Amino acid sequence: MNNDRFIVIDRVSKEFGAHGKSAAVRVIDDVSMKIGRGEFIVFLGPSGCGKTTLMRIVGGLEAASCGQVRLDGATVTGPDRKKGMVFQSYSSFPWLDVIGNIRFGMRFRDDISAAEKERLAQYYLELVGLRGFEGYRVNRISGGMRQRLAIARTLAAGPDVLLMDEPFGALDAQNREFLQEQLVGIQKSEQKTVIFVTHDVEEAIFLADRIMLFSARPARVLQEIRVGDHIGTQRPLAVKSTQAFFALRNSILDVTRRLALQTEKIMLQGGMFPA
Amino acid sequence: MTEQRDPHGREGSGPDGQASDAAAPVPETTVWQQLTSFRGNSSRGTDIALGAVGFALLLAIWSGLVVFEVVPKQYLASPQAVVVRLWELLTKYDFLDDIWISIYRVWFAFFLSAIVAIPLGILMSSFRIVNGLTEPIIDFIRYLPVPALVPLTVIWLGIGEASKIALLWMGTFFQLVLLIADDARRVPREYVEVGMTVGAKPSQVLRHIILPAMLPSMVDNLRITLGWCWTYLIIAEIVASDSGIGYVIWSARRYVKTPEVMAGILAIGIIGFLTDQFIRWLHRRAFAYLR
């Protein structure tokens, strides 16, 4: 299989159905892109623009109205463990402890033995830095730890692609930065393909190999930014204070500011609200 | 009765962090201020104490009404008379047998209700076709007053155990199934999607995610429905029965034996209260992770 076309989004559109008098709302408008194996892609765009919906279509959690998504050559028809998902909200199960939640990611795998599952559970526990907390109840650990736990559980399922929906959105600035740095490390060591949705420009630049900048609703790809060409492929935290980082950030912010105004106008005119 | 959900009090001391500055004196509050503060903290000890005070007040008012003969004696027996009568019933008149038969009826009917309502409710929340077919019917039956069904159950099932169980079942099942369906629907969508994206099939999502996620609120709803069972039990036992607490109460009424009527009511109250507290205790033990 061609590694540059690991995920193919092929002319995908999405409309949310007409309810009674209200007409159908188009949230994604004819979006196409190719994503390479191991690539870190960030969907950046204004809130409610449809970028999360597009990611959910890739994950098989939502069906496209038009077009299709192919993962490793196969058309996506529904969710499975090949498309792992990390949600914005805390999605770990409160009735399980930390290690129990990681094990849950492997519960329905029959491709590996029980012993291998246990080894992997310990490995991912270590990888996300939760060693020592394995017996803790989920609501006794911090928000940042819960998101690391969600990442560990998702990785444990052995996905081909990691879909992350503003996973650090609810965290404070320090935690956010810490988790971004950890995520970069994890992605490098695990060689995972990642699609990461955010509206935070700095987060996008710091994490991405490539940023897909989306328009206000309906979502179209406005711009594709190869971040490596601007700030290089190495991402120590210090890269955030380089001249190149600022320059890129400002040029993207320029575009997003105009977008934000545009979105507001659409919302006021059409009475549309984020799905 | 004390309505407390959080026996250990709220966590922490709030955003203003009373303990942040050791030097600043904490303004003194009286016990009265603490008890009456709007949505203030509660503790297990004060809750129990308040509950006891509530009961004591009720007893005091009751005694007062009897002692000062505000209400004639044959209509309202004194608390002592009721307790004495209850003791006599238990020791001399095999009242315990009636209590057991009533408890058996309630639990058996409740059990039959629950084992049908739990799976059906979960299926209603999961599959549109099940919900579409059953919800309108359930909603309709739910509004039928149970006493109105008594003649039918007697015609169909006679006056044996079956008609009583059937009546209790009808009184609780149709309420319970909708509550269970709601519990299942309230499981966060993310939980279900986590399941699907780690490769769980729908049946596995139901068993390993929806069921454990809805369990705490389901147990709460079962507890509340069990209470309704007692209401319908008395109706069933009054209409056609020769045993049970309801029968004892109704027979005593015929001879205006007020202490005996009230003793029967007291017995139901005690059983209900103890059952309720026991299930709450189980809930706290089993779902400690919620706190």
Side-chain angles (χ1 to χ4, degrees):
Chain A
M1 195 45 56
N2 193 335
N3 275 349
D4 298 338
R5 324 183 70 198
F6 186 56
I7 299 171
V8 177
I9 298 175
D10 188 6
R11 305 204 60 180
V12 165
S13 295
K14 176 74 180 177
E15 280 173 6
F16 279 114
H19 287 290
K21 282 178 195 164
S22 61
V25 179
R26 176 159 276 234
V27 290
I28 300 168
D29 190 26
D30 197 12
V31 170
S32 296
M33 71 178 75
K34 298 181 194 79
I35 296 169
R37 192 189 285 270
E39 213 176 352
F40 199 125
I41 298 286
V42 172
F43 288 180
L44 180 66
S47 295
C49 79
K51 56 195 190 298
T52 294
T53 307
L54 182 61
M55 191 195 69
R56 288 173 60 83
I57 291 172
V58 175
L61 291 169
E62 207 120 18
S65 307
C66 250
Q68 57 164 292
V69 175
R70 288 186 297 275
L71 173 64
D72 210 0
T75 305
V76 170
T77 53
D80 56 40
R81 71 173 181 85
K82 291 292 162 195
K83 289 140 338 207
M85 188 90 168
V86 179
F87 295 89
Q88 175 174 25
S89 61
Y90 304 140
S91 58
S92 298
F93 302 137
W95 60 90
L96 299 175
D97 56 12
V98 165
I99 192 79
N101 270 283
I102 298 179
R103 287 194 190 114
F104 196 89
M106 294 178 284
R107 178 157 202 159
F108 308 105
R109 287 182 73 168
D110 41 23
D111 57 328
I112 52 175
S113 68
E116 177 67 2
K117 282 182 184 178
E118 198 42 47
R119 193 191 65 78
L120 280 177
Q122 297 300 328
Y123 170 74
Y124 287 116
L125 181 76
E126 192 82 51
L127 183 74
V128 298
L130 286 175
R131 168 78 58 214
F133 293 94
E134 45 270 62
Y136 274 58
R137 295 205 307 253
V138 172
N139 59 358
R140 286 282 180 272
I141 61 175
S142 71
M145 289 162 102
R146 285 193 223 186
Q147 288 310 70
R148 271 141 65 195
L149 175 57
I151 293 170
R153 179 198 58 218
T154 310
L155 287 172
D160 287 337
V161 55
L162 205 55
L163 305 168
M164 308 184 81
D165 183 12
E166 302 193 28
F168 308 147
L171 305 180
D172 60 63
Q174 287 85 10
N175 251 310
R176 195 170 234 252
E177 201 156 69
F178 176 61
L179 262 84
Q180 288 167 1
E181 203 185 0
Q182 283 207 319
L183 181 60
V184 166
I186 290 170
Q187 196 255 347
K188 288 262 146 60
S189 70
E190 295 288 300
Q191 300 283 310
K192 286 285 175 213
T193 311
V194 178
I195 299 179
F196 188 107
V197 167
T198 184
H199 56 251
D200 180 329
V201 176
E202 290 191 25
E203 183 168 74
I205 299 172
F206 180 69
L207 292 173
D209 292 322
R210 201 149 46 108
I211 295 174
M212 295 294 176
L213 184 55
F214 284 91
S215 68
R217 180 190 290 191
R220 286 186 209 100
V221 178
L222 276 187
Q223 224 176 321
E224 184 189 323
I225 302 148
R226 295 190 172 277
V227 180
D229 296 350
H230 298 266
I231 63 167
T233 51
Q234 293 304 308
R235 303 291 162 79
L237 212 45
V239 82
K240 282 192 172 183
S241 34
T242 60
Q243 201 57 48
F245 191 93
F246 284 131
L248 182 57
R249 186 196 65 170
N250 289 341
S251 72
I252 295 175
L253 276 177
D254 246 13
V255 183
T256 54
R257 279 204 194 97
R258 266 182 281 128
L259 277 178
L261 288 175
Q262 217 179 316
T263 315
E264 210 144 283
K265 242 184 260 167
I266 292 173
M267 297 252 206
L268 287 172
Q269 286 164 357
M272 297 174 190
F273 293 97
Chain B
M1 218 162 286
T2 55
E3 188 60 46
Q4 48 89 36
R5 301 202 159 266
D6 190 356
H8 307 298
R10 297 277 168 230
E11 288 172 74
S13 53
D16 36 79
Q18 291 171 7
S20 63
D21 191 350
V26 179
E28 273 192 41
T29 52
T30 63
V31 175
W32 182 249
Q33 277 173 334
Q34 284 168 22
L35 288 177
T36 55
S37 74
F38 180 63
R39 307 195 61 137
N41 293 336
S42 70
S43 76
R44 185 119 181 88
T46 38
D47 281 336
I48 291 174
L50 283 173
V53 169
F55 267 115
L57 278 177
L58 180 69
L59 271 178
I61 294 170
W62 179 4
S63 303
L65 288 176
V66 179
V67 169
F68 299 108
E69 295 198 35
V70 184
V71 182
K73 261 217 167 83
Q74 70 261 41
Y75 298 134
L76 187 68
S78 70
Q80 299 94 300
V82 172
V83 172
V84 167
R85 190 65 199 148
L86 182 58
W87 180 248
E88 284 173 4
L89 280 173
L90 286 171
T91 51
K92 292 183 194 153
Y93 295 91
D94 297 328
F95 188 42
L96 212 51
D97 292 347
D98 291 294
I99 290 179
W100 281 126
I101 189 84
S102 288
I103 290 179
Y104 153 77
R105 283 169 186 155
V106 163
W107 276 93
F108 188 59
F110 176 70
F111 173 75
L112 288 184
S113 242
I115 58 165
V116 186
I118 292 169
L120 182 60
I122 293 174
L123 287 177
M124 282 173 71
S125 75
S126 311
F127 300 102
R128 208 179 275 176
I129 181 167
V130 182
N131 194 60
L133 283 173
T134 56
E135 198 176 25
I137 302 174
I138 292 170
D139 253 335
F140 172 75
I141 300 178
R142 193 161 76 95
Y143 281 104
L144 300 179
V146 169
L149 301 170
V150 171
L152 268 186
T153 59
V154 172
I155 292 172
W156 288 343
L157 299 163
I159 58 166
E161 287 306 303
S163 68
K164 292 175 201 67
I165 303 291
L167 201 70
L168 291 185
W169 189 85
M170 286 189 287
T172 49
F173 171 77
F174 298 99
Q175 313 280 346
L176 187 56
V177 70
L178 294 183
L179 291 171
I180 302 276
D182 265 345
D183 288 339
R185 281 191 199 103
R186 272 199 301 270
V187 172
R189 193 184 64 174
E190 283 85 358
Y191 286 7
V192 174
E193 291 184 342
V194 162
M196 295 194 297
T197 53
V198 298
K201 292 192 280 286
S203 62
Q204 292 169 322
V205 171
L206 279 177
R207 190 167 147 229
H208 297 293
I209 296 171
I210 295 195
L211 203 57
M214 69 184 283
L215 204 55
S217 60
M218 188 174 88
V219 170
D220 254 338
N221 278 326
L222 288 173
R223 177 175 63 82
I224 291 160
T225 319
L226 181 63
W228 297 344
C229 253
W230 281 96
T231 316
Y232 301 127
L233 173 82
I234 301 309
I235 294 167
E237 288 183 342
I238 280 174
V239 173
S241 186
D242 52 9
S243 61
I245 304 176
Y247 167 76
V248 170
I249 294 175
W250 201 240
S251 319
R253 171 218 60 122
R254 204 170 298 154
Y255 308 105
V256 203
K257 290 181 185 165
T258 313
E260 203 163 309
V261 172
M262 293 179 75
I265 295 171
L266 181 64
I268 295 173
I270 292 172
I271 296 167
F273 179 76
L274 291 180
T275 317
D276 202 79
Q277 291 299 316
F278 175 67
I279 299 176
R280 279 165 188 267
W281 175 80
L282 274 184
H283 194 284
R284 282 194 297 271
R285 299 278 321 248
F287 309 120
Y289 60 80
L290 293 175
R291 285 176 287 274

